[in-house]
Amino acid sequence: VLREVEPFLTLIESRNDLAGQLKDRYSLKDIIVVRGDAEENPFVKEELAKLTAEQLTEQLFPGAVVSVAGGSTMALVSKFLRPKHEDLLFIPARGGLGEEVAYQSNSIVGYLAEATEGQHRMLYAPDSISEASLQSLKAEPMVSEIIELNERSSFVIHGIGDAFEMARRRNVDEATMQKLAEGQAVGEAFGFYFDADGELVHKVTTIGLQLEDLGKKEAIFAVAGGESKKEAVKAYLKLAPENTILIIDEVIAGHLLA
Ligand code: F6P
């Protein structure tokens, strides 16, 4: 029995050690590291989602409002959430970003509300609309409600992606691709593309949460795993406020310490 348990304990130990070293280097609210590479092993991605669900449950309180981003990692979180706090409200952090339906925050807020027996709202705002349409949309009561809720939400949960991977996934136009290339974008989070210094390169024209809103939240759960995202996460940490809870895999953790 001991022989079976021992290697496992060693791995847990090294995982905790990684998180400990990261905490010495980055001053964030918390850092949690999952063993392995989420791109190699789907269970690692599930584990990231499970830990996100657990951490979120610990912080939630009755009536809490949670801003939620899209993506395949976020889409897994509801699988691990249970009803525990009353009257939770999940809202899309931003409008459409060009993702397929299952990965849109409008879908994910529905799954999260169902899992927690809470509520959700949808945000009907397409991505990259003209400035004039954007202004008239903002005046719509259903839309302005979401803008206001995003301003006062207590929590944000979001994924982080590689800039060009996300741009391709969203089929962005040639001009945007060029802008990202010229600006040397490396990462992306809820519609904001940034370079290795965490400087904004491009922002999808849509409605909802702004980077400036992050600092006043009780906690931001930033979740990412996989070798291809390591530069993106490193860059994101240049702009992440101190109230961020970072949930990453071992591959990214190693890179952040390199
Ligand atoms: O498009 C929504 C989004 O949250 C992006 O901001 C982020 O880069 C991406 O999804 C993460 O997606 P995934 O979890 O599938 O890698």
Side-chain angles (χ1 to χ4, degrees):
V1 176
L2 251 183
R3 234 175 282 135
E4 269 173 36
V5 169
E6 238 170 5
F8 180 69
L9 284 180
T10 317
L11 283 163
I12 291 275
E13 199 43 52
S14 78
R15 183 183 87 177
N16 289 342
D17 188 44
L18 272 179
Q21 290 176 49
L22 283 168
K23 281 183 214 170
D24 289 341
R25 188 157 332 169
Y26 298 90
S27 48
L28 297 176
K29 194 174 170 94
D30 205 356
I31 302 176
I32 293 150
V33 182
V34 171
R35 222 166 359 121
D37 177 343
E39 267 156 14
E40 293 263 300
N41 181 350
F43 291 116
V44 175
K45 195 159 171 177
E46 294 236 340
E47 193 63 19
L48 287 172
K50 185 168 173 239
L51 282 166
T52 306
E54 283 172 14
Q55 293 293 313
L56 181 66
T57 304
E58 259 179 46
Q59 305 267 334
L60 284 170
F61 51 82
V65 180
V66 186
S67 300
V68 180
S72 61
T73 316
M74 288 300 108
L76 288 170
V77 175
S78 63
K79 194 170 159 185
F80 304 101
L81 273 180
R82 301 285 171 268
K84 182 150 185 229
H85 307 278
E86 301 211 330
D87 304 321
L88 298 177
L89 176 59
F90 297 92
I91 54 163
R94 303 199 73 207
L97 295 171
E99 288 271 31
E100 63 175 83
V101 172
Y103 296 165
Q104 285 174 10
S105 51
N106 265 345
S107 308
I108 298 172
V109 289
Y111 312 145
L112 293 168
E114 199 183 336
T116 54
E117 294 172 6
Q119 295 205 18
H120 71 283
R121 299 273 190 284
M122 308 259 255
L123 174 54
Y124 298 105
D127 58 308
S128 302
I129 53 174
S130 72
E131 197 53 42
S133 317
L134 193 73
Q135 291 313 323
S136 53
L137 251 184
K138 281 184 181 171
E140 288 294 324
M142 270 176 76
V143 174
S144 63
E145 185 200 9
I146 307 293
I147 296 175
E148 187 263 323
L149 283 167
N150 266 309
E151 280 165 9
R152 71 174 179 84
S153 62
S154 297
F155 304 104
V156 178
I157 59 171
H158 73 87
I160 302 165
D162 169 76
F164 286 93
E165 169 71 31
M166 288 313 299
R168 276 190 294 273
R169 193 159 107 185
R170 293 167 174 165
N171 289 315
V172 305
D173 58 25
E174 206 36 58
T176 310
M177 274 294 188
Q178 211 170 324
K179 187 175 172 192
L180 295 177
E182 276 162 16
Q184 297 180 312
V186 298
E188 192 279 348
F190 47 92
F192 295 89
Y193 291 85
F194 44 85
D195 66 13
D197 295 322
E199 296 293 336
L200 191 67
V201 173
H202 173 68
K203 163 179 166 178
V204 181
T205 316
T206 189
I207 292 162
L209 195 74
Q210 300 299 316
L211 285 176
E212 310 81 81
D213 296 330
L214 294 180
K216 56 187 191 230
K217 304 297 176 199
E218 284 192 28
I220 299 142
F221 299 81
V223 194
E227 173 81 22
S228 72
K229 294 188 181 189
K230 58 187 192 187
E231 295 301 342
V233 175
K234 194 167 195 168
Y236 179 76
L237 291 184
K238 304 254 167 74
L239 64 90
E242 287 195 354
N243 47 354
T244 301
I245 296 180
L246 183 70
I247 303 169
I248 50 175
D249 64 7
E250 212 174 344
V251 157
I252 293 182
H255 183 66
L256 294 179
L257 287 169

PDB file of all heavy atoms in Angstrom, residues 4 26 31 52 64 93 114 124 145 149 161 168 178 187 221 231 235:
ATOM      1  N   GLU A   4       2.254   2.270  -3.285  1.00  0.00           N
ATOM      2  CA  GLU A   4       1.295   2.905  -4.208  1.00  0.00           C
ATOM      3  C   GLU A   4       1.037   4.361  -3.823  1.00  0.00           C
ATOM      4  O   GLU A   4       0.870   5.205  -4.666  1.00  0.00           O
ATOM      5  CB  GLU A   4      -0.045   2.168  -4.160  1.00  0.00           C
ATOM      6  CG  GLU A   4      -0.134   1.063  -5.184  1.00  0.00           C
ATOM      7  CD  GLU A   4      -1.385   0.248  -4.995  1.00  0.00           C
ATOM      8  OE1 GLU A   4      -2.409   0.841  -4.625  1.00  0.00           O
ATOM      9  OE2 GLU A   4      -1.318  -0.964  -5.183  1.00  0.00           O
ATOM     10  N   TYR A  26       4.801  36.020  -7.258  1.00  0.00           N
ATOM     11  CA  TYR A  26       3.670  36.828  -7.736  1.00  0.00           C
ATOM     12  C   TYR A  26       2.727  37.118  -6.570  1.00  0.00           C
ATOM     13  O   TYR A  26       2.304  36.187  -5.890  1.00  0.00           O
ATOM     14  CB  TYR A  26       2.882  36.069  -8.812  1.00  0.00           C
ATOM     15  CG  TYR A  26       3.685  35.762 -10.053  1.00  0.00           C
ATOM     16  CD1 TYR A  26       4.403  34.567 -10.149  1.00  0.00           C
ATOM     17  CD2 TYR A  26       3.718  36.658 -11.116  1.00  0.00           C
ATOM     18  CE1 TYR A  26       5.152  34.277 -11.299  1.00  0.00           C
ATOM     19  CE2 TYR A  26       4.454  36.381 -12.264  1.00  0.00           C
ATOM     20  CZ  TYR A  26       5.169  35.192 -12.350  1.00  0.00           C
ATOM     21  OH  TYR A  26       5.899  34.913 -13.476  1.00  0.00           O
ATOM     22  N   ILE A  31      -2.802  31.074  -5.559  1.00  0.00           N
ATOM     23  CA  ILE A  31      -2.337  30.388  -6.769  1.00  0.00           C
ATOM     24  C   ILE A  31      -2.489  28.890  -6.528  1.00  0.00           C
ATOM     25  O   ILE A  31      -2.035  28.370  -5.506  1.00  0.00           O
ATOM     26  CB  ILE A  31      -0.854  30.721  -7.084  1.00  0.00           C
ATOM     27  CG1 ILE A  31      -0.685  32.241  -7.246  1.00  0.00           C
ATOM     28  CG2 ILE A  31      -0.392  29.981  -8.345  1.00  0.00           C
ATOM     29  CD1 ILE A  31       0.744  32.705  -7.461  1.00  0.00           C
ATOM     30  N   THR A  52     -11.694  25.234  -9.741  1.00  0.00           N
ATOM     31  CA  THR A  52     -12.338  26.542  -9.900  1.00  0.00           C
ATOM     32  C   THR A  52     -13.695  26.518  -9.199  1.00  0.00           C
ATOM     33  O   THR A  52     -14.039  27.444  -8.457  1.00  0.00           O
ATOM     34  CB  THR A  52     -12.517  26.883 -11.399  1.00  0.00           C
ATOM     35  OG1 THR A  52     -11.258  26.765 -12.036  1.00  0.00           O
ATOM     36  CG2 THR A  52     -13.075  28.275 -11.596  1.00  0.00           C
ATOM     37  N   ALA A  64     -24.887  36.496  -4.434  1.00  0.00           N
ATOM     38  CA  ALA A  64     -23.685  36.986  -5.139  1.00  0.00           C
ATOM     39  C   ALA A  64     -23.909  37.028  -6.650  1.00  0.00           C
ATOM     40  O   ALA A  64     -24.592  36.181  -7.222  1.00  0.00           O
ATOM     41  CB  ALA A  64     -22.491  36.094  -4.822  1.00  0.00           C
ATOM     42  N   ALA A  93     -19.800  38.034 -18.869  1.00  0.00           N
ATOM     43  CA  ALA A  93     -18.868  39.132 -18.620  1.00  0.00           C
ATOM     44  C   ALA A  93     -18.889  40.123 -19.779  1.00  0.00           C
ATOM     45  O   ALA A  93     -18.823  41.322 -19.574  1.00  0.00           O
ATOM     46  CB  ALA A  93     -17.456  38.590 -18.420  1.00  0.00           C
ATOM     47  N   GLU A 114     -28.093  26.539 -13.550  1.00  0.00           N
ATOM     48  CA  GLU A 114     -28.796  25.263 -13.374  1.00  0.00           C
ATOM     49  C   GLU A 114     -28.110  24.428 -12.293  1.00  0.00           C
ATOM     50  O   GLU A 114     -28.765  23.872 -11.408  1.00  0.00           O
ATOM     51  CB  GLU A 114     -28.792  24.510 -14.704  1.00  0.00           C
ATOM     52  CG  GLU A 114     -29.849  23.429 -14.764  1.00  0.00           C
ATOM     53  CD  GLU A 114     -29.779  22.652 -16.062  1.00  0.00           C
ATOM     54  OE1 GLU A 114     -29.276  23.176 -17.070  1.00  0.00           O
ATOM     55  OE2 GLU A 114     -30.228  21.490 -16.039  1.00  0.00           O
ATOM     56  N   TYR A 124     -27.451  39.923 -25.247  1.00  0.00           N
ATOM     57  CA  TYR A 124     -27.562  39.818 -26.700  1.00  0.00           C
ATOM     58  C   TYR A 124     -26.819  40.968 -27.343  1.00  0.00           C
ATOM     59  O   TYR A 124     -27.383  42.010 -27.605  1.00  0.00           O
ATOM     60  CB  TYR A 124     -29.034  39.795 -27.117  1.00  0.00           C
ATOM     61  CG  TYR A 124     -29.766  38.605 -26.550  1.00  0.00           C
ATOM     62  CD1 TYR A 124     -30.637  38.744 -25.483  1.00  0.00           C
ATOM     63  CD2 TYR A 124     -29.546  37.330 -27.069  1.00  0.00           C
ATOM     64  CE1 TYR A 124     -31.285  37.646 -24.939  1.00  0.00           C
ATOM     65  CE2 TYR A 124     -30.184  36.228 -26.530  1.00  0.00           C
ATOM     66  CZ  TYR A 124     -31.048  36.390 -25.468  1.00  0.00           C
ATOM     67  OH  TYR A 124     -31.669  35.299 -24.933  1.00  0.00           O
ATOM     68  N   GLU A 145     -28.858  46.657 -18.110  1.00  0.00           N
ATOM     69  CA  GLU A 145     -28.893  45.904 -16.841  1.00  0.00           C
ATOM     70  C   GLU A 145     -27.607  45.068 -16.687  1.00  0.00           C
ATOM     71  O   GLU A 145     -27.006  45.018 -15.613  1.00  0.00           O
ATOM     72  CB  GLU A 145     -30.119  44.980 -16.809  1.00  0.00           C
ATOM     73  CG  GLU A 145     -30.266  44.281 -15.466  1.00  0.00           C
ATOM     74  CD  GLU A 145     -31.135  43.032 -15.496  1.00  0.00           C
ATOM     75  OE1 GLU A 145     -31.517  42.571 -16.582  1.00  0.00           O
ATOM     76  OE2 GLU A 145     -31.395  42.500 -14.394  1.00  0.00           O
ATOM     77  N   LEU A 149     -24.773  45.275 -13.899  1.00  0.00           N
ATOM     78  CA  LEU A 149     -24.460  44.092 -13.072  1.00  0.00           C
ATOM     79  C   LEU A 149     -22.971  43.746 -13.140  1.00  0.00           C
ATOM     80  O   LEU A 149     -22.372  43.349 -12.136  1.00  0.00           O
ATOM     81  CB  LEU A 149     -25.295  42.888 -13.521  1.00  0.00           C
ATOM     82  CG  LEU A 149     -26.758  42.880 -13.075  1.00  0.00           C
ATOM     83  CD1 LEU A 149     -27.558  41.806 -13.832  1.00  0.00           C
ATOM     84  CD2 LEU A 149     -26.869  42.642 -11.564  1.00  0.00           C
ATOM     85  N   GLY A 161      -6.388  32.753 -23.142  1.00  0.00           N
ATOM     86  CA  GLY A 161      -6.017  32.014 -24.340  1.00  0.00           C
ATOM     87  C   GLY A 161      -4.803  32.614 -25.023  1.00  0.00           C
ATOM     88  O   GLY A 161      -4.430  33.768 -24.776  1.00  0.00           O
ATOM     89  N   ARG A 168      -7.799  32.961 -34.439  1.00  0.00           N
ATOM     90  CA  ARG A 168      -8.186  31.970 -35.460  1.00  0.00           C
ATOM     91  C   ARG A 168      -9.517  31.342 -35.110  1.00  0.00           C
ATOM     92  O   ARG A 168     -10.384  31.181 -35.963  1.00  0.00           O
ATOM     93  CB  ARG A 168      -7.108  30.885 -35.578  1.00  0.00           C
ATOM     94  CG  ARG A 168      -5.961  31.278 -36.495  1.00  0.00           C
ATOM     95  CD  ARG A 168      -5.058  30.099 -36.773  1.00  0.00           C
ATOM     96  NE  ARG A 168      -4.365  29.656 -35.567  1.00  0.00           N
ATOM     97  CZ  ARG A 168      -3.200  30.161 -35.148  1.00  0.00           C
ATOM     98  NH1 ARG A 168      -2.591  31.095 -35.839  1.00  0.00           N
ATOM     99  NH2 ARG A 168      -2.627  29.734 -34.041  1.00  0.00           N
ATOM    100  N   GLN A 178      -3.484  41.436 -38.598  1.00  0.00           N
ATOM    101  CA  GLN A 178      -2.302  42.273 -38.810  1.00  0.00           C
ATOM    102  C   GLN A 178      -2.018  43.144 -37.586  1.00  0.00           C
ATOM    103  O   GLN A 178      -0.866  43.287 -37.171  1.00  0.00           O
ATOM    104  CB  GLN A 178      -2.547  43.159 -40.021  1.00  0.00           C
ATOM    105  CG  GLN A 178      -1.270  43.464 -40.763  1.00  0.00           C
ATOM    106  CD  GLN A 178      -1.567  44.123 -42.088  1.00  0.00           C
ATOM    107  OE1 GLN A 178      -2.566  43.802 -42.754  1.00  0.00           O
ATOM    108  NE2 GLN A 178      -0.718  45.062 -42.447  1.00  0.00           N
ATOM    109  N   GLY A 187      -1.420  37.072 -25.696  1.00  0.00           N
ATOM    110  CA  GLY A 187      -2.511  36.480 -24.910  1.00  0.00           C
ATOM    111  C   GLY A 187      -3.833  37.172 -25.122  1.00  0.00           C
ATOM    112  O   GLY A 187      -3.897  38.258 -25.730  1.00  0.00           O
ATOM    113  N   PHE A 221     -11.251  34.755 -10.732  1.00  0.00           N
ATOM    114  CA  PHE A 221     -10.712  33.410 -10.912  1.00  0.00           C
ATOM    115  C   PHE A 221     -10.223  33.298 -12.349  1.00  0.00           C
ATOM    116  O   PHE A 221     -11.023  33.261 -13.281  1.00  0.00           O
ATOM    117  CB  PHE A 221     -11.795  32.360 -10.640  1.00  0.00           C
ATOM    118  CG  PHE A 221     -12.320  32.423  -9.237  1.00  0.00           C
ATOM    119  CD1 PHE A 221     -13.282  33.350  -8.887  1.00  0.00           C
ATOM    120  CD2 PHE A 221     -11.833  31.568  -8.258  1.00  0.00           C
ATOM    121  CE1 PHE A 221     -13.755  33.449  -7.590  1.00  0.00           C
ATOM    122  CE2 PHE A 221     -12.295  31.653  -6.952  1.00  0.00           C
ATOM    123  CZ  PHE A 221     -13.253  32.589  -6.618  1.00  0.00           C
ATOM    124  N   GLU A 231       2.858  31.489 -22.515  1.00  0.00           N
ATOM    125  CA  GLU A 231       3.248  32.904 -22.695  1.00  0.00           C
ATOM    126  C   GLU A 231       2.067  33.819 -22.384  1.00  0.00           C
ATOM    127  O   GLU A 231       2.237  34.904 -21.834  1.00  0.00           O
ATOM    128  CB  GLU A 231       3.727  33.173 -24.133  1.00  0.00           C
ATOM    129  CG  GLU A 231       5.006  32.455 -24.537  1.00  0.00           C
ATOM    130  CD  GLU A 231       6.200  32.787 -23.656  1.00  0.00           C
ATOM    131  OE1 GLU A 231       6.164  33.810 -22.949  1.00  0.00           O
ATOM    132  OE2 GLU A 231       7.167  32.001 -23.663  1.00  0.00           O
ATOM    133  N   ALA A 235       2.059  36.763 -19.558  1.00  0.00           N
ATOM    134  CA  ALA A 235       1.750  38.154 -19.912  1.00  0.00           C
ATOM    135  C   ALA A 235       0.538  38.653 -19.132  1.00  0.00           C
ATOM    136  O   ALA A 235       0.520  39.795 -18.667  1.00  0.00           O
ATOM    137  CB  ALA A 235       1.484  38.240 -21.410  1.00  0.00           C
TER     138      ALA A 235
END
